[in-house]
Amino acid sequence: MTTKTRLLLKLAGLTGALLLSFGVAAPQEARAELRIDITRGVVEPLPIAITSFAGSGGRDAQTGADIAKVISADLERSGLFRPLDPRGFLQTPEQLRTGDPRYQDWKALGAQALVAGNTTTGPDGRMKVDFRLWDIASAQYMQGLSYTAPPQEWRRIAHIVADAIYKRLTGEDGYFDTRIVYVAESGPANTRKKQLAIMDQDGENHQFLTDGQSLVLTPRFSPTTQEITYMSYFNKKPRVYLFNIDTGRQEVLGDFPGMTFAPRFSPDGNRVIMSMAQNGNTDIYTLDLRTRRQTQLTDSPGIDTAPSYSPDGQRIVFESDRGGSQQLYIMGADGSGVKRLSFGEGRYGTPVWSPRGDLIAFTRQRGSSFAVGVVRPDGSGERILSEGYHVEGPTWAPNGRVLMFFKDLPSGDGRGRNAKLYSIDITGANERRVITPLDASDPAWSPLIP
Amino acid sequence: MRMKFLALAAVALLAACETAPKDANTGAASNSSSIRPGSQEDLAVNVGDRVFFGLDRYDLSPEARATLDRQAKWLQTYGSVTVTIEGHADERGTREYNLALGERRANSVKNYLAAKGVPANRVKVVSYGKEKPAVVGSTEAAWSQNRRGVTVVD
């Protein structure tokens, strides 16, 4: 259905004249701007009124209502916003189209921010969506933007609007116009079927990418292209592959004599870093996607795996048992200057560098429990975010504020597994189940869709 | 979106290990007369097709060595048979580490067989990490059966 999508978004601020005609005449005195401070630990969600987007025709009106629902759901799931029940709203979307909001009415409802918008279909069949955001407390207009896209892309438009609101009110980039690739699991634990699957960040537009004939593991998004790198047991030969989401084309990466696994892209998208195991020894290699040159970065006799680049591409965090047990290490991008990062009790693995560079997420195994946590790249400030029988495999939202991971629990009957995806804020707040049609593991968050 | 589903030729990928006898140690099969010599069933029932490892270990126990001594003899008897050693881990580890650990275990088996005179070109290795438990369950009893190297006739 939705043709895959370098969708041509026309992003334009509403014209100055338009803005002025909606402009709020009164408040010129300096007031503290409405802003959610998300750097603190626990945040009281901001009450926000999101009206149905007005539309002239039947279809436009329906799309407008659907868009508002998607925006509300995105903002609510972030844990930073509390969308108010629209049944209490005293102004219609149409009234908000042509005039200022009645601030007192919205204030009485408890709203601190208000979102309204329009959906229209142009003569060329393209859909135009615009929205406006008001600060109710200080009675002022904050932002207005307009987007044009094919009508079937209404969900993306809604996510983009939600990202704009999130950014305007938190000061940080949003992460709603993103997708998740993961491994969909089905069947009993000893004959588990695993398929690559992809979905929007909110679980919509779900698609299976592989048919489950070959075992697949650890998919990761390219930071720059519509490509995924992952591991497949195709032909009983476990190797790292590249999968093109647009074309479905896939190819094995590199020509390695042993099993290759644990792949990730470099931040510029030009290389894939991975492990190769041969003769009982696992080391880290890179493959340059342009020259196809393979470079070996580590040569310890131990297990060196799960490499992840810093966002500037200068450093690599990985796990190794060279010191006796599985721990995190950091080295330069050329493999030099290896330094141990984790010193806590237990085993540490699956490190992933935050897109912001400030934190490294990991899985910790201690005693009979697993945990997902974060630590600063200098080894300080280690914090556990979620702990349980088995939690594993964190992945970062592109803004570095939210993690997704999986929990893998024995099913009640003892016969199988119960693997599910969860998201959590880096403060440790707002842990949420991410709904998938089948069991799910190994999530990987995409960058913001270009 | 028009994503092509993978139309990879389905080579009987999982078949080999899925049809392998459950556990040689149980000595279940009674009518060994119907077993074809040199077959996987022969190996599993009359020799022992698998060895077990300690937690996060890949060294071979005396029991494992005894099993592999029998395997080496059996492989010398059936000189045209080639095998793949599957290395496995229990579920109590992270995915990538367990893949590497399974590869280490498979190579421990391969190296031992090689030391006992089985040519390296008759023995391949593959690691499945924690992906293919032999015994389903979240108890030490299950995990100890899953930390294994299984010799599978190609």
Side-chain angles (χ1 to χ4, degrees):
Chain A
M1 24 157 293
T2 37
T3 20
K4 241 310 9 306
T5 36
R6 212 105 339 148
L7 112 121
L8 294 170
L9 274 179
K10 230 192 294 155
L11 166 79
L14 293 174
T15 67
L18 197 51
L19 282 186
L20 279 181
S21 69
F22 291 133
V24 184
Q28 289 304 325
E29 78 271 36
R31 294 198 197 201
E33 184 173 60
L34 180 61
R35 182 106 171 195
I36 305 179
D37 180 3
I38 58 179
T39 58
R40 285 178 303 137
V42 178
V43 173
E44 184 68 20
L46 181 94
I48 185 168
I50 300 163
T51 69
S52 183
F53 279 31
S56 35
R59 201 183 71 168
D60 284 343
Q62 184 56 51
T63 305
D66 292 341
I67 285 173
K69 279 187 197 133
V70 170
I71 296 169
S72 289
D74 279 348
L75 294 176
E76 192 279 330
R77 244 187 355 270
S78 76
L80 301 176
F81 297 87
R82 180 165 60 82
L84 300 173
D85 185 346
R87 284 173 302 185
F89 295 173
L90 296 171
Q91 270 188 294
T92 65
E94 288 71 24
Q95 289 168 332
L96 288 163
R97 178 150 59 179
T98 51
D100 297 337
R102 294 198 300 266
Y103 289 109
Q104 287 311 320
D105 286 357
W106 293 104
K107 198 180 264 180
L109 272 179
Q112 292 188 31
L114 169 65
V115 175
N118 286 301
T119 309
T120 51
T121 306
D124 58 355
R126 289 167 68 81
M127 181 183 64
K128 178 163 172 278
V129 176
D130 55 69
F131 84 94
R132 279 167 294 141
L133 171 66
W134 291 273
D135 175 349
I136 294 299
S138 53
Q140 56 186 336
Y141 172 86
M142 290 185 87
Q143 187 176 31
L145 292 169
S146 167
Y147 308 90
T148 306
Q152 67 269 23
E153 297 291 347
W154 67 270
R155 279 190 168 278
R156 278 207 61 196
I157 298 291
H159 293 312
I160 288 165
V161 170
D163 280 332
I165 295 166
Y166 181 98
K167 181 166 191 177
R168 188 67 180 82
L169 292 175
T170 69
E172 305 220 16
D173 286 332
Y175 55 92
F176 304 122
D177 184 30
T178 55
R179 294 195 283 176
I180 308 293
V181 63
Y182 73 98
V183 172
E185 305 189 7
S186 52
N190 55 342
T191 55
R192 200 76 158 148
K193 181 166 138 180
K194 294 197 169 189
Q195 306 169 254
L196 290 188
I198 192 169
M199 61 188 181
D200 294 351
Q201 139 288 134
D202 61 354
E204 296 293 332
N205 289 322
H206 188 279
Q207 305 263 338
F208 293 106
L209 298 178
T210 66
D211 60 9
Q213 296 276 357
S214 298
L215 173 64
V216 293
L217 300 170
T218 62
R220 322 284 189 210
F221 268 104
S222 163
T224 52
T225 61
Q226 290 298 308
E227 287 177 309
I228 292 163
T229 183
Y230 70 107
M231 181 206 194
S232 170
Y233 279 77
F234 177 62
N235 270 347
K236 229 176 168 174
K237 234 179 127 177
R239 290 293 184 276
V240 167
Y241 282 77
L242 195 65
F243 185 100
N244 186 300
I245 304 171
D246 288 339
T247 65
R249 194 179 118 77
Q250 60 172 339
E251 57 177 307
V252 72
L253 279 185
D255 181 19
F256 291 96
M259 169 173 75
T260 49
F261 61 109
R264 275 186 201 281
F265 285 93
S266 60
D268 62 8
N270 289 332
R271 270 159 294 153
V272 169
I273 191 166
M274 64 181 97
S275 281
M276 188 206 28
Q278 192 186 18
N279 304 325
N281 177 31
T282 295
D283 283 313
I284 293 172
Y285 292 75
T286 57
L287 177 79
D288 190 305
L289 295 174
R290 298 157 302 181
T291 64
R292 300 282 148 170
R293 229 188 82 187
Q294 300 171 188
T295 308
Q296 182 171 358
L297 295 186
T298 69
D299 64 353
S300 92
I303 293 174
D304 297 333
T305 190
S308 169
Y309 278 99
S310 61
D312 65 5
Q314 298 300 303
R315 288 185 291 170
I316 295 160
V317 62
F318 64 102
E319 64 176 67
S320 176
D321 68 347
R322 59 183 66 195
S325 79
Q326 188 185 5
Q327 297 292 339
L328 307 184
Y329 291 79
I330 290 180
M331 63 183 174
D334 61 356
S336 67
V338 178
K339 260 184 70 181
R340 183 162 161 181
L341 173 67
S342 61
F343 289 93
E345 184 196 333
R347 298 164 58 173
Y348 289 74
T350 78
V352 203
W353 216 304
S354 159
R356 290 206 298 205
D358 57 342
L359 292 171
I360 289 164
F362 58 81
T363 303
R364 188 194 70 188
Q365 188 180 352
R366 178 186 291 178
S368 59
S369 84
F370 281 62
V372 163
V374 292
V375 63
R376 292 196 199 99
D378 66 2
S380 69
E382 179 180 326
R383 284 187 291 122
I384 294 302
L385 304 181
S386 183
E387 187 161 12
Y389 174 76
H390 197 118
V391 301
E392 184 181 341
T395 179
W396 290 97
N399 71 351
R401 291 259 351 145
V402 182
L403 286 165
M404 197 175 289
F405 58 95
F406 71 96
K407 299 188 185 185
D408 190 9
L409 307 175
S411 63
D413 57 8
R415 284 286 304 152
R417 316 293 314 164
N418 197 346
K420 304 279 186 263
L421 305 185
Y422 289 80
S423 65
I424 195 165
D425 194 86
I426 52 166
T427 59
N430 197 39
E431 182 173 306
R432 302 271 182 130
R433 171 84 198 283
V434 179
I435 305 296
T436 49
L438 302 173
D439 270 16
S441 60
D442 291 6
W445 216 311
S446 82
L448 282 170
I449 300 175
Chain B
M1 51 194 83
R2 241 184 294 109
M3 277 169 209
K4 270 180 219 140
F5 280 53
L6 284 191
L8 297 176
V11 185
L13 174 82
L14 308 181
C17 61
E18 250 53 275
T19 54
K22 279 296 168 242
D23 191 343
N25 291 358
T26 61
S30 51
N31 58 339
S32 53
S33 56
S34 69
I35 294 174
R36 188 166 55 81
S39 67
Q40 181 71 40
E41 197 180 6
D42 183 21
L43 178 66
V45 173
N46 297 318
V47 177
D49 68 346
R50 64 195 59 198
V51 297
F52 301 100
F53 294 89
L55 178 66
D56 198 21
R57 301 196 69 108
Y58 58 103
D59 55 327
L60 297 165
S61 66
E63 297 90 322
R65 288 163 194 265
T67 301
L68 295 180
D69 286 340
R70 294 195 302 276
Q71 286 190 10
K73 248 174 86 185
W74 185 85
L75 283 164
Q76 267 142 23
T77 307
Y78 302 102
S80 62
V81 169
T82 63
V83 294
T84 300
I85 315 295
E86 297 179 351
H88 298 270
D90 68 33
E91 68 189 25
R92 301 306 281 160
T94 50
R95 194 173 315 288
E96 295 90 338
Y97 184 85
N98 277 356
L99 287 169
L101 180 58
E103 205 264 350
R104 268 182 174 168
R105 287 173 174 164
N107 274 287
S108 288
V109 172
K110 177 179 175 165
N111 292 341
Y112 190 88
L113 292 176
K116 294 291 171 180
V118 181
N121 63 10
R122 289 176 61 196
V123 183
K124 293 197 296 280
V125 296
V126 66
S127 170
Y128 286 106
K130 60 178 172 177
E131 306 306 320
K132 292 180 181 297
V135 176
V136 180
S138 295
T139 60
E140 176 51 35
W143 298 332
S144 64
Q145 295 285 303
N146 292 334
R147 295 189 292 262
R148 69 201 192 278
V150 183
T151 303
V152 177
V153 174
D154 291 333

